[in-house]
Amino acid sequence: MKFLFNHKWKRISGWIFYLTIPVGIYLLFTDSFEDLLKIRVFSLFHSETIFTTSNTENIIGSRGFQWIENGILDEILTFVIIVSGIIHSFCKEKIEDELISKIRMDSLVLSLYINYGVLLFFNFFVYELSYFYVMVFHLFTILILFNLIFRYKLNILYKS
Amino acid sequence: MKNNIRMYRGKFNLTQEDLSNKLGVSRQTINSIENNKYFPSLELGLKLSRIFECTVDDLFSLD
């Protein structure tokens, strides 16, 4: 299969992927993103809020194409998790053959169905700002699901 | 689809490991093919027929 990474990246990318996910979750729930690594960044779109409550955020307008102050730790973590997750997911196996390619393809399709099934479920049962958290998790769940399903199927194959 | 890979492998005195090395696939792939859990591509089928000096029809047949 084309577009796969070299097998040597599998282990290191896996370590980075599985170690940065809990760090990201911790920082998200402790709201530590805003204060860390605050620098001026160029924003294409930036909404302005008048006040926020526990459940709602009232947006009064938006601005764009300007420099703003922003803590970039969340952006860095998102980048690291997604890049390491993609590399870990799409590294060649030690012996990469057509059966492995088929298992990879099946796992990808199954993880996509489950991922969007879960999203559709939350679409009707989680509302307002809480839905933002669903969307944040949704950025990573397809990679996590794919890895779990692919590893599980490979384990079954290697035991045969 | 049925196949006679196991029979031909015995005839040529090859282990699953030997055959997988000749084909450049994993031993588990040979095992899956023999147990009808995986149907190989045409390319792999042709490689198998070359190793066993027979036609693809001799190796694979429809149920």
Side-chain angles (χ1 to χ4, degrees):
Chain A
M1 188 187 269
K2 279 194 240 173
F3 311 121
L4 292 179
F5 297 94
N6 196 301
H7 179 71
K8 68 180 178 184
W9 300 109
K10 186 143 195 114
R11 183 165 290 188
I12 182 74
S13 59
W15 276 106
I16 295 169
F17 182 57
Y18 291 115
L19 285 177
T20 46
I21 286 173
V23 174
I25 291 171
Y26 172 77
L27 291 175
L28 181 70
F29 282 115
T30 54
D31 268 341
S32 311
F33 283 133
E34 294 305 314
D35 306 325
L36 294 166
L37 293 174
K38 212 163 196 175
I39 60 164
R40 278 174 66 80
V41 291
F42 187 74
S43 164
L44 290 178
F45 178 79
H46 177 66
S47 59
E48 292 182 311
T49 57
I50 182 168
F51 67 90
T52 55
T53 65
S54 58
N55 290 322
T56 61
E57 188 172 15
N58 294 290
I59 297 169
I60 58 163
S62 62
R63 289 186 291 177
F65 294 98
Q66 63 180 184
W67 292 89
I68 58 165
E69 285 273 323
N70 183 53
I72 58 159
L73 184 63
D74 51 346
E75 281 81 8
I76 292 172
L77 269 176
T78 303
F79 176 83
V80 171
I81 292 172
I82 289 177
V83 170
S84 61
I86 287 175
I87 293 174
H88 182 62
S89 302
F90 299 105
C91 266
K92 283 180 184 169
E93 291 301 304
K94 246 181 192 167
I95 301 175
E96 180 73 27
D97 61 20
E98 55 182 58
L99 180 56
I100 301 286
S101 295
K102 186 184 177 297
I103 292 172
R104 183 181 287 110
M105 176 69 179
D106 290 349
S107 306
L108 192 57
V109 171
L110 187 58
S111 60
L112 189 134
Y113 286 163
I114 295 173
N115 192 48
Y116 280 102
V118 170
L119 182 71
L120 286 175
F121 174 82
F122 283 125
N123 185 43
F124 289 109
F125 294 103
V126 178
Y127 300 100
E128 298 178 336
L129 191 60
S130 305
Y131 193 69
F132 165 77
Y133 287 103
V134 173
M135 293 308 291
V136 170
F137 282 114
H138 193 69
L139 288 172
F140 314 109
T141 47
I142 191 159
L143 288 171
I144 297 167
L145 272 172
F146 169 72
N147 271 297
L148 292 176
I149 294 168
F150 187 46
R151 286 287 118 207
Y152 173 72
K153 287 190 171 190
L154 281 187
N155 263 349
I156 291 174
L157 176 73
Y158 289 142
K159 276 182 189 168
S160 68
Chain B
M1 199 160 72
K2 294 185 295 184
N3 70 72
N4 302 315
I5 309 285
R6 186 170 279 145
M7 189 195 83
Y8 272 91
R9 194 165 53 74
K11 196 173 156 185
F12 280 75
N13 207 16
L14 291 171
T15 63
Q16 286 186 342
E17 193 77 43
D18 297 332
L19 186 56
S20 65
N21 289 337
K22 280 177 183 283
L23 290 165
V25 298
S26 67
R27 187 193 60 75
Q28 287 81 7
T29 300
I30 303 298
N31 187 50
S32 299
I33 294 170
E34 285 186 357
N35 291 314
N36 287 320
K37 287 180 183 166
Y38 173 64
F39 304 116
S41 66
L42 181 60
E43 185 187 352
L44 201 54
L46 287 167
K47 282 180 182 173
L48 280 164
S49 68
R50 189 179 292 172
I51 289 170
F52 293 132
E53 296 161 6
C54 60
T55 64
V56 176
D57 275 1
D58 294 331
L59 288 174
F60 300 98
S61 58
L62 291 169
D63 276 330

